[in-house]
């Protein structure tokens, strides 16, 4: 793929930033699901 | 002397002072820079664990004829064994993972997005580095300073622009240590007094079960490495360290990762990074540009985090103080403390520390993830 420097930079910005936020959004949902499925049990913690 | 001629005496004296006569201005300047780094670490307590060995390494490598970075030199062995192979940054991540408690993040998962916004500086700086005339892969390495994460910067730069390793890693560590000076003015500039004074309650935060804490590092590893496989060494080590901490059955390994392993790796990594600061290679216009771009990178991270927090407030019922957005970088726990301090100065009932810790740990994951995704995109484009 032959890209000029500016095309390369913009592509990295869009894909890099976009995919980073998207993956973190997925992780956000994973955390929500985990915390709602495995609730903290006070008695077992004690 | 009776048994030596005057010529022989002169030759011996020349040999004795050869180090002094070989001292060029570049070496002298770098020795002064090494002393300044040590001074910052010792006198002002700025990242002393890193700046002290980096400064000492810098002095050692700029003492002429010592040959410590020549083939068979002591520091060359450390460099080849730990930096070229990328073992040192990965071992440091093992220790960082073992020292990190992800509970504040698990209690408020949406703030992980602020850890993504905190990586904006990487891509902004990449664009600016390209505009400044750096080659594509060089620009990627300069941009990675915006991860505010020394090991990640070293990991990426070693692979794609090893000749920039000295300036990039020193800039990354220097700006990490300067977070308390760089961020507060930007935070005040980007927020109103009302926003800075906003209280964030802790009442709705529930304790996190041990099962979640154990599954979390495994889930993060599997998901992120499936998306960006080239980041596996860093993310894998970070999450392995955290797993050792949370699984509760390998206390000895967890303690070793938090102490002996990370301490030895930090010492050798710092010393070796200092040893890449050879005056004849380091003192160039490129180094100055890299340092200038590094400052822009950290500033870009800070501003992007604050504005994403404001944006999230538009769409969310539970408001967040925009100051915690600035903690979405990898400098842990310094960035979280800065967010808390600025908020507390504005309103003494404001205790943002645990919320900011959640964002800060999200920034640790975000920085490794952003670097991994950059590598995945570069690979897809056939550039690596």
């Amino acid at each position: 793929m032959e890209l000029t420097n500016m095309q390369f930079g913009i592509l990295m910005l869009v894909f890099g930033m976009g995919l980073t936020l998207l993956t973190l959004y997925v992780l956000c949902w994973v955390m929500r699901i985990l915390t709602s499925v495995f609730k903290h049990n006070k008695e077992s913690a004690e | 002397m009776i048994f030596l001629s005057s010529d022989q005496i002169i030759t011996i004296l020349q040999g004795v002072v050869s180090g002094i006569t070989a001292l060029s201005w570049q070496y002298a300047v770098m020795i002064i820079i090494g002393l300044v780094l040590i001074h910052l670490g010792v006198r002002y307590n700025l990242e002393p664990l890193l700046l002290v060995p980096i400064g000492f390494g810098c002095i050692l490598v700029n003492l002429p004829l010592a040959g410590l970075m020549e083939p068979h030199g002591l520091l060359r062995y450390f460099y080849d064994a730990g930096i070229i192979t990328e073992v040192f940054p990965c071992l440091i991540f093992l220790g960082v993972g073992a020292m990190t408690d992800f509970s504040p993040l698990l209690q408020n998962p949406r703030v992980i997005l602020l850890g993504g916004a905190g990586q904006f500086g990487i891509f902004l700086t990449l664009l600016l580095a390209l505009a400044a005339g750096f080659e594509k892969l060089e620009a990627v390495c300069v941009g990675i300073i915006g991860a505010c994460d020394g090991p990640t910067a070293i990991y990426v730069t070693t692979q794609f622009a090893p000749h920039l390793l000295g300036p990039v890693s020193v800039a990354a560590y220097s700006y990490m240590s300067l977070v308390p000076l760089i961020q507060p003015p930007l935070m005040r500039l980007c927020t109103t007094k009302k926003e800075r004074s906003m209280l964030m309650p802790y009442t709705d935060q529930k304790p996190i079960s041990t099962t979640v804490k154990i599954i979390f590092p495994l889930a993060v590893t599997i998901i992120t490495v499936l998306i960006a496989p080239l980041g596996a060494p860093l993310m894998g080590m970070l999450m392995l360290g955290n797993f050792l901490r949370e699984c509760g059955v390998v206390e000895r390994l967890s303690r070793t990762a938090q102490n002996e392993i990370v301490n030895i790796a930090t010492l050798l990594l710092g010393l070796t990074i200092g040893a890449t600061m050879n005056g004849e290679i380091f003192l160039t216009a490129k180094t100055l540009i890299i340092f200038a771009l590094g400052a822009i990178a950290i500033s870009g991270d800070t501003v992007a985090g604050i504005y994403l927090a404001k944006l999230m407030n538009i769409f969310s019922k539970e408001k967040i103080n925009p100051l915690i957005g600035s903690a979405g970088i990898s400098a842990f726990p310094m960035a979280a403390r800065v967010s808390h301090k600025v908020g507390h100065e504005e309103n003494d009932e404001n205790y943002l520390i645990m919320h900011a810790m959640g964002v800060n740990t999200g920034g640790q994951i975000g920085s490794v993830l952003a670097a991994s995704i950059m590598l995945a995109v570069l690979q897809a484009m056939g550039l690596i």
Side-chain angles (χ1 to χ4, degrees), chain B residues 109-191:
Chain B
R110 67 187 172 132
V111 299
I112 199 172
L113 293 173
L114 298 173
Q119 314 312 318
F120 177 72
I122 296 178
F123 302 101
L124 173 69
T125 311
L126 191 156
L127 269 170
L128 293 175
L130 287 167
F134 284 88
E135 296 293 319
K136 290 185 177 93
L137 291 180
E138 285 181 339
V140 166
C141 299
V142 175
I144 209 72
I145 297 172
C148 218
D149 183 342
T152 304
I154 292 165
Y155 181 82
V156 174
T157 310
T158 305
Q159 288 186 55
F160 305 121
H163 56 288
L164 296 182
L165 185 60
V168 167
S169 47
V170 173
Y173 280 121
S174 304
Y175 287 123
M176 269 170 73
S177 64
L178 293 175
V179 159
L181 299 178
I182 296 172
Q183 284 198 322
L186 287 168
M187 292 158 82
R188 293 190 189 99
L189 192 70
C190 298
T191 53

Side-chain angles (χ1 to χ4, degrees), chain A residues 22-35:
Chain A
L22 192 66
T23 311
L24 290 175
Y25 190 66
V26 171
L27 291 180
C28 171
W29 274 103
V30 169
M31 285 189 274
R32 280 183 178 158
I33 292 165
L34 283 174
T35 48

Side-chain angles (χ1 to χ4, degrees), chain B residues 17 24 44 59 62 78 92 107 110 116 134 150 165 181 206 215 217 240 266 281-282 299 301 307 314 322 324 346 357:
Chain B
V17 296
S24 66
Y44 298 105
I59 293 171
N62 285 291
F78 292 155
I92 287 184
Q107 285 171 328
R110 67 187 172 132
F134 284 88
L165 185 60
L181 299 178
K206 299 181 184 80
I215 296 173
L240 169 63
T266 302
I281 304 166
F282 195 87
S299 307
D301 292 341
Y307 278 98
I314 295 172
I324 67 168
E346 213 61 63
M357 284 286 189

Side-chain angles (χ1 to χ4, degrees), chain B residues 18 31 134 173 264 322:
Chain B
S18 58
I31 290 171
F134 284 88
Y173 280 121
I264 291 169

Side-chain angles (χ1 to χ4, degrees), chain B residues 262-298:
Chain B
V262 81
N263 288 342
I264 291 169
T266 302
L267 171 63
L268 295 180
L269 181 115
L271 196 60
T272 320
I273 291 305
T276 62
M277 295 167 69
N278 183 306
E280 286 167 359
I281 304 166
F282 195 87
L283 289 178
T284 61
K286 260 188 178 175
T287 302
L288 287 177
I289 297 171
I290 288 170
F291 271 78
L293 290 171
I296 295 171
I298 307 291

Side-chain angles (χ1 to χ4, degrees), chain B residues 30-354:
Chain B
M30 291 310 294
I31 290 171
I32 293 168
I33 290 175
L35 290 171
V36 169
L37 293 176
I38 291 175
H39 181 70
L40 290 174
V42 174
R43 177 74 178 79
Y44 298 105
N45 208 28
L46 291 174
E47 295 278 343
L49 293 175
L50 290 159
L51 291 191
V52 169
I54 289 176
F56 214 98
C58 175
I59 293 171
L60 283 175
V61 82
N62 285 291
L63 291 170
L65 310 182
L68 289 168
M69 276 297 270
E70 300 299 319
H72 308 298
L74 176 68
L75 297 183
R76 170 62 64 175
Y77 283 121
F78 292 155
Y79 181 78
D80 290 343
I83 302 288
I84 296 291
T85 58
E86 294 163 353
V87 168
F88 290 161
C90 293
L91 287 180
I92 287 184
F93 262 71
L94 181 74
V96 170
M99 285 188 265
T100 304
D101 179 7
F102 285 110
S103 298
L105 179 65
L106 288 159
Q107 285 171 328
N108 193 4
R110 67 187 172 132
V111 299
I112 199 172
L113 293 173
L114 298 173
Q119 314 312 318
F120 177 72
I122 296 178
F123 302 101
L124 173 69
T125 311
L126 191 156
L127 269 170
L128 293 175
L130 287 167
F134 284 88
E135 296 293 319
K136 290 185 177 93
L137 291 180
E138 285 181 339
V140 166
C141 299
V142 175
I144 209 72
I145 297 172
C148 218
D149 183 342
T152 304
I154 292 165
Y155 181 82
V156 174
T157 310
T158 305
Q159 288 186 55
F160 305 121
H163 56 288
L164 296 182
L165 185 60
V168 167
S169 47
V170 173
Y173 280 121
S174 304
Y175 287 123
M176 269 170 73
S177 64
L178 293 175
V179 159
L181 299 178
I182 296 172
Q183 284 198 322
L186 287 168
M187 292 158 82
R188 293 190 189 99
L189 192 70
C190 298
T191 53
T192 62
K193 187 175 171 54
K194 190 182 167 192
E195 285 171 332
R196 291 194 294 276
S197 307
M198 188 189 293
L199 297 176
M200 287 182 73
Y202 286 96
T203 48
D204 55 344
Q205 296 202 332
K206 299 181 184 80
I208 300 298
S209 79
T210 309
T211 313
V212 174
K213 289 185 188 176
I214 292 173
I215 296 173
F216 179 68
L218 294 170
V220 172
T221 305
I222 292 166
I223 293 168
T224 57
V225 175
L226 282 175
I227 293 169
L230 291 181
L234 287 181
M235 191 63 89
M237 287 295 114
L238 180 70
M239 290 299 146
L240 169 63
N242 190 251
F243 187 78
L244 296 178
R245 172 197 173 94
E246 301 296 353
C247 71
V249 292
V250 285
E251 182 66 22
R252 278 170 48 197
L253 297 186
S254 174
R255 274 207 311 270
T256 306
Q258 289 179 44
N259 296 291
E260 289 84 355
I261 289 179
V262 81
N263 288 342
I264 291 169
T266 302
L267 171 63
L268 295 180
L269 181 115
L271 196 60
T272 320
I273 291 305
T276 62
M277 295 167 69
N278 183 306
E280 286 167 359
I281 304 166
F282 195 87
L283 289 178
T284 61
K286 260 188 178 175
T287 302
L288 287 177
I289 297 171
I290 288 170
F291 271 78
L293 290 171
I296 295 171
I298 307 291
S299 307
D301 292 341
T302 306
V303 172
I306 290 170
Y307 278 98
L308 183 65
K310 289 186 185 197
L311 187 69
M312 285 166 74
N313 278 343
I314 295 172
F315 298 102
S316 173
K317 275 187 279 181
E318 292 169 33
K319 305 295 180 199
I320 51 178
N321 187 316
L323 289 178
I324 67 168
S326 68
I329 56 176
S330 191
F332 181 86
M334 206 186 295
R337 285 190 192 140
V338 170
S339 295
H340 169 74
K341 189 167 171 276
V342 175
H344 194 66
E345 279 171 1
E346 213 61 63
N347 178 353
D348 57 12
E349 289 176 19
N350 215 350
Y351 288 90
L352 298 173
I353 187 71
M354 290 315 286

